Amino acid sequence: MNRRVILFFFILLSMSFAAISSPKPEGATGESVQEENSEKKVQFHIRPSLGLTFGDSNSSGIRVTNLQWLGTLNSDFDYIGKKFDLSSTLFMQYGESKVKGQDAEKLQDAFILSITPSIPLIKVPKIRLFLETTAETNLGKGTIDDQPTGFLDPLFLYQTLFLGQKHYSFQKEDNTTWELTYGLGYAFQQTLNKKFETLDIAGNNSSFESGFSGIVEVSVNSKISESLSFVLNAKAVALSRENFFKDFDSSRRSVLVRSGLFYKKVGMEYNFHQVHDLNLSENDLVDQSIMLTITF
């Protein structure tokens, strides 16, 4: 079962990147349903960045030198057709703190990939049917509550079929493009692990399970002036488990926010990632940072 789930996910991944290689036509604006005579549209953004903090102090004759760095990559892709839409988002971040004479300590680590095709279902009100497949894991070795973690260990996968709406504005002549997607549905989820051991506490279940889902996602890319730009990507996901009505706290909830104000290649960036999942930890996992970054 585990190998089949992973294989199915990577098939969807290859299909998404094949679509990204398509040429980029004109912009678009609309809601959840395209007019019959509208053209196919493609919208793609990618923004890698690197933040560095260097410190050097001398106290009581002891000199301490430390370096902190955080690299992030956020990209979003949208294909809008007459009867079919496809969107994909990728978020990666990894950072370390290095004190001279000591081993490096990992600060933040995340890899989140989502692929979401959708089709119009009802014209009035404008309702779409979405199928989202998402994978979440870490990029490097680390620990969660003293349990060892690594790439694909643990790997959280979920697939949700939900009804909702999609609003967007992709006009080529506009300086700001935005997209808003939200909906409710039903999801299947599983936590795959190798060395990482899930906690033996009430409410957790790492095996294949299902439950209700709720999703809200928004993205904004704005060119304020020739040199100044603003970026916002945010997503909140709630996935219930089989005992939802008996124990609400067992539901998995996650929030991801990345925003930044950039002047040419230099900007101030804020990242926030919070996960509540009893399969991973009894406490909420929270990473957040405000850094002066360089974009590429």
Side-chain angles (χ1 to χ4, degrees), residues 231-252:
V231 176
L232 171 65
N233 299 98
K235 184 176 184 179
V237 180
L239 303 172
S240 72
R241 293 194 161 101
E242 294 178 357
N243 55 349
F244 171 71
F245 295 102
K246 296 181 179 179
D247 185 7
F248 174 78
D249 194 57
S250 65
S251 302
R252 176 187 167 97

Side-chain angles (χ1 to χ4, degrees), residues 82-215:
K82 294 181 180 180
K83 298 183 180 297
F84 172 80
D85 288 6
L86 175 66
S87 63
S88 177
T89 60
L90 172 64
F91 175 78
M92 294 191 298
Q93 69 172 0
Y94 188 85
E96 289 184 345
S97 175
K98 180 68 172 70
V99 178
K100 188 175 181 180
Q102 301 180 16
D103 294 335
E105 179 182 356
K106 185 172 70 170
L107 295 177
Q108 299 184 37
D109 186 0
F111 176 94
I112 305 174
L113 175 64
S114 297
I115 302 171
T116 310
S118 66
I119 58 173
L121 196 65
I122 303 175
K123 291 186 177 182
V124 180
K126 295 182 177 180
I127 301 296
R128 298 187 72 85
L129 178 65
F130 298 83
L131 176 62
E132 177 182 322
T133 303
T134 294
E136 299 187 24
T137 186
N138 297 318
L139 291 172
K141 294 182 178 180
T143 59
I144 297 178
D145 294 342
D146 298 325
Q147 291 287 335
T149 62
F151 184 60
L152 302 182
D153 184 24
L155 169 65
F156 178 72
L157 293 173
Y158 75 83
Q159 190 169 63
T160 175
L161 188 69
F162 66 95
L163 296 175
Q165 290 188 323
K166 178 178 181 179
H167 305 273
Y168 57 87
S169 177
F170 295 151
Q171 290 286 2
K172 186 177 181 181
E173 62 272 14
D174 290 345
N175 291 328
T176 299
T177 61
W178 59 270
E179 180 178 355
L180 172 64
T181 301
Y182 52 88
L184 298 172
Y186 201 78
F188 300 92
Q189 52 189 297
Q190 186 172 15
T191 302
L192 308 179
N193 58 315
K194 298 177 183 178
K195 297 180 180 180
F196 183 84
E197 297 181 4
T198 57
L199 299 180
D200 185 16
I201 58 178
N204 76 330
N205 182 10
S206 60
S207 62
F208 189 79
E209 53 188 337
S210 60
F212 301 108
S213 64
I215 294 176

